[in-house]
Amino acid sequence: MPTRTWRPAKWVLPLLVLFLAMATAWGTAVGQWPARLRIAPGEQLPQPGFPFRFGTPRALAGDGDDAAIAAEPRPADGRTSPAQTQVGWRLPVQLGPWTVRSLDLDIVERKVVPGGDSIGVLLSDEGLLVAGVQTLTTSDGQRLAPSREAGLRPGDLLLRVNGKPVSVPADVSILVEGMAERGEPVQLEIRRGDQILTLPVKPVPVSLPRPGGGVHTVHMIGLLLQDPVAGVGTLSFYDPETGVYGALGHQVLDGQGEPARMAAGRIVSAYISSIEPGWKGMPGEKVGVFHDRQLPLGTIDRNTRFGIFGRLLLGSGTPAATPGTQPVPAGTAPASGAEAGGPSPEPGSIAANETDVTRRPPIPVALAHQVVAGPAQLLTVLHGRKVEAFDVLIEKVVPQRRPADKGLVIRVTDPRLLAETGGIVQGMSGSPVIQQGRLVAIVTHVFVNDPARGYGILAEWMLEEAGLWRNRGTSGPSERQIDEQETPVQQPLSHPPAAGPAPRVESGQDYSESLDRRAA
């Protein structure tokens, strides 16, 4: 009798391939969930997708990565979140009876005061920033870099030359030429981080062409200097509990395209004197005026990819509130147009060291999944210091589960704003967007080929960067980018909405006054 060789049935291999494909897809689906999920009290939990489900959230007995899970689960049915606000829940992701992963769940609600106020951004309150060090060709043909050889670096803050304060590059040129005539080095006093250093630099002769022909010799030290005024931007929000503010919604970059070092950075109140409208291919801008020696509105503690953050000040440099939380460490420049020597404050306006934002009532902050396409309002300043509300349309929202920029696309629909600015202009970076009575986003970029449209960052991520959710924030790339052909200007600069009617400000109305009336 012939021996029969066992062979697997024809359906076994396809079944194995199908099983592996399903396991890979499920593993990818589980891996795409963020390590931390943030929802509002009583809000319906999102679904992890078939065949997974969320188990019952359990409160953590302590705070931190090693916190133990409380023995008794808090009221929740696995579909609806607990009703009370609490940071620190553990949410299991289950496949049948097995837990395949756990997420950190925060039940949060937060209110902040929306901004819209124009601000001047100062990288330092004194001196000149070293933007670069140059190699010079001397009159006798040598290649020398006197400042580099003396130890100067880009990002240093030049405070004094031979003991004399400097505020414009011309001051440095005059002092260098005077010392060169004596054949002596110049003494440069610089600030580098928390250190004050004095570095001697010997000027070298350089031959430069005269406009009418011929050459003349000047003495140089090979420094590229820039004014510490970064430009004009917009205040995004202010948290009255901690005194923390956020602004711009994007990072301030230096002349080399690197994150600007803020040394003793601060923000001051800016007066918008005029608007240069935007056109297709040519972004417009706000022309802001402020005194670079006026009392500051706030400090600049961090310059991150999601904006600048610090604390507002009251009086002579007193923090606006006793710190309740500290901003967490993390990781393009605002529109130009700031000029020193602006007009005096308007009659009846706020003092030079106080901003209207401290007098307005707070509003809720929308979480990323609560933002929907539809009508909204943008707060910004077109004239003077008056914050006004303008109609916009949120055209597209990216379903982001992790901190990322460019979370939505907005289109300006307000006839007056279109007439005066052409849409979004440089200097509007940081303007808050309000929808259904909640802060949903911050304007950050304009499309070069369509100034009526631009990008915004979702407000949840900006508050996370500010440390206002009081959790272990994470950062990472967006799960998908908006597919747009337009190029954003990097300038310096499927859930239902909340139920019930939201208060609305008429287009062009003074926003701070209307908020005060609603709060009364």
Side-chain angles (χ1 to χ4, degrees):
M1 188 174 191
T3 303
R4 297 184 61 182
T5 303
W6 181 86
R7 294 182 181 179
K10 294 182 179 180
W11 50 267
V12 172
L13 185 58
L15 185 62
L16 180 60
V17 172
L18 178 61
F19 175 79
L20 292 175
M22 292 176 62
T24 302
W26 290 347
T28 301
V30 171
Q32 285 180 345
W33 281 89
R36 181 173 295 275
L37 184 65
R38 192 179 290 120
I39 59 177
E43 183 180 4
Q44 184 176 351
L45 289 170
Q47 296 304 312
F50 180 82
F52 303 100
R53 65 181 180 86
F54 283 137
T56 300
R58 294 184 175 219
L60 299 180
D63 188 19
D65 292 327
D66 299 326
I69 298 178
E72 295 295 328
R74 302 299 174 89
D77 59 9
R79 296 184 303 276
T80 303
S81 72
Q84 66 267 40
T85 300
Q86 178 174 328
V87 176
W89 294 77
R90 185 60 48 81
L91 180 63
V93 180
Q94 296 180 329
L95 177 62
W98 300 285
T99 296
V100 297
R101 185 182 172 188
S102 292
L103 308 180
D104 288 336
L105 174 67
D106 291 339
I107 314 298
V108 296
E109 54 185 359
R110 188 87 192 194
K111 291 184 177 182
V112 297
V113 178
D117 311 77
S118 288
I119 56 173
V121 180
L122 302 175
L123 306 185
S124 174
D125 56 359
E126 60 178 335
L128 294 166
L129 287 174
V130 176
V133 288
Q134 291 179 309
T135 299
L136 303 172
T137 301
T138 65
S139 299
D140 57 5
Q142 297 184 70
R143 297 277 290 170
L144 300 175
S147 290
R148 182 183 296 113
E149 293 167 4
L152 276 91
R153 308 173 189 168
D156 289 342
L157 188 66
L158 178 60
L159 303 176
R160 293 173 179 81
V161 177
N162 293 337
K164 296 182 179 180
V166 291
S167 58
V168 294
D171 294 341
V172 180
S173 299
I174 293 172
L175 292 169
V176 166
E177 195 66 44
M179 296 303 293
E181 291 177 357
R182 302 178 194 175
E184 300 177 9
V186 293
Q187 303 295 323
L188 305 185
E189 182 180 318
I190 65 166
R191 178 188 296 154
R192 180 179 297 162
D194 296 329
Q195 293 181 304
I196 300 295
L197 306 174
T198 300
L199 302 177
V201 183
K202 186 174 182 179
V204 298
V206 178
S207 297
L208 298 178
R210 294 183 182 275
V215 296
H216 69 294
T217 299
V218 297
H219 290 84
M220 305 174 70
I221 56 176
L223 277 185
L224 289 175
L225 300 172
Q226 70 179 47
D227 194 292
V229 175
V232 172
T234 302
L235 189 71
S236 304
F237 64 82
Y238 159 67
D239 178 41
E241 292 183 15
T242 63
V244 170
Y245 78 86
L248 301 187
H250 58 62
Q251 199 161 48
V252 179
L253 302 181
D254 61 20
Q256 310 298 313
E258 299 294 328
R261 302 182 187 184
M262 290 301 186
R266 60 194 174 105
I267 60 171
V268 296
S269 177
Y271 182 98
I272 301 303
S273 58
S274 64
I275 300 286
E276 294 292 336
W279 306 90
K280 183 176 181 179
M282 182 64 66
E285 69 173 342
K286 292 182 181 182
V287 179
V289 181
F290 58 86
H291 298 276
D292 60 358
R293 294 293 181 263
Q294 72 191 61
L295 291 177
L297 288 178
T299 63
I300 301 178
D301 298 332
R302 294 188 303 119
N303 175 27
T304 81
R305 67 188 183 108
F306 292 156
I308 59 173
F309 301 90
R311 297 188 184 280
L312 290 191
L313 304 175
L314 296 176
S316 57
T318 303
T322 300
T325 61
Q326 292 292 337
V328 294
T332 278
S336 59
E339 302 170 5
S344 300
E346 302 162 294
S349 72
I350 59 177
N353 65 321
E354 188 175 318
T355 175
D356 271 340
V357 74
T358 62
R359 303 178 181 179
R360 303 173 198 149
I363 64 174
V365 177
L367 299 176
H369 63 268
Q370 295 173 323
V371 184
V372 297
Q377 289 188 302
L378 176 147
L379 308 183
T380 198
V381 174
L382 292 189
H383 304 287
R385 294 186 176 90
K386 181 181 178 181
V387 178
E388 299 179 273
F390 299 96
D391 291 334
V392 297
L393 179 67
I394 298 177
E395 291 188 327
K396 185 180 295 186
V397 182
V398 177
Q400 295 173 337
R401 293 175 182 158
R402 296 179 178 88
D405 56 4
K406 299 180 183 138
L408 50 76
V409 173
I410 69 169
R411 176 185 291 277
V412 174
T413 59
D414 194 285
R416 180 184 160 215
L417 187 59
L418 288 171
E420 294 199 33
T421 69
I424 300 170
V425 297
Q426 298 171 29
M428 281 188 186
S429 294
S431 297
V433 178
I434 312 298
Q435 184 184 64
Q436 295 289 326
R438 298 180 296 190
L439 175 64
V440 298
I442 309 299
V443 176
T444 59
H445 300 78
V446 59
F447 292 153
V448 172
N449 293 326
D450 187 358
R453 301 170 70 226
Y455 283 123
I457 179 176
L458 295 172
E460 178 179 352
W461 309 138
M462 205 163 167
L463 263 73
E464 180 168 315
E465 192 78 354
L468 295 179
W469 295 118
R470 293 189 295 272
N471 68 7
R472 302 179 298 276
T474 59
S475 62
S478 59
E479 297 193 359
R480 72 174 198 191
Q481 293 293 332
I482 300 175
D483 183 17
E484 293 287 343
Q485 294 182 351
E486 295 88 342
T487 302
V489 176
Q490 303 285 350
Q491 279 292 348
L493 121 254
S494 40
H495 292 254
R504 186 182 186 283
V505 186
E506 292 302 317
S507 176
Q509 183 177 344
D510 188 311
Y511 190 75
S512 57
E513 290 181 2
S514 64
L515 276 175
D516 291 338
R517 285 197 294 272
R518 289 206 300 270

